[in-house]
Amino acid sequence: GVLVEPLMIHPSSIFRMIWAAFGLVLFCYDAFFIPLSVFDLPRSAFLATMDWLVRVYWSLDIIASFISGYVGVHGTVELRP
């Protein structure tokens, strides 16, 4: 609790909003390119970079979810770990 408390992210902070917006962009990328993986697309530096970027983002998003606060039923923000 004490070690994690300073790391807690407010759910409506600028960082969290940018993180979520970036996640939406990567979600759209995944929604478009995952079905295309059925076909044998030529490999490019762009696709290789995006593959790694998507993997790293979704892995870090799991951690970010654990250290993010949430808005409770009555509108109160809960930031306790």
Side-chain angles (χ1 to χ4, degrees):
V2 175
L3 295 175
V4 179
E5 198 166 333
L7 301 175
M8 294 300 291
I9 303 168
H10 195 280
S12 57
S13 68
I14 295 295
F15 171 77
R16 193 71 179 134
M17 296 297 159
I18 292 171
W19 185 262
F22 189 57
L24 179 62
V25 170
L26 292 181
F27 174 79
C28 292
Y29 172 84
D30 277 346
F32 184 76
F33 277 98
I34 287 176
L36 287 178
S37 67
V38 173
F39 305 105
D40 191 22
L41 296 176
R43 294 304 299 165
S44 67
F46 172 76
L47 289 177
T49 302
M50 287 303 292
D51 284 348
W52 276 104
L53 183 65
V54 166
R55 286 182 193 131
V56 169
Y57 174 84
W58 292 122
S59 297
L60 292 175
D61 189 56
I62 294 170
I63 297 167
S65 294
F66 280 111
I67 61 172
S68 292
Y70 65 92
V71 179
V73 178
H74 301 290
T76 59
V77 176
E78 184 62 58
L79 290 173
R80 288 182 292 175

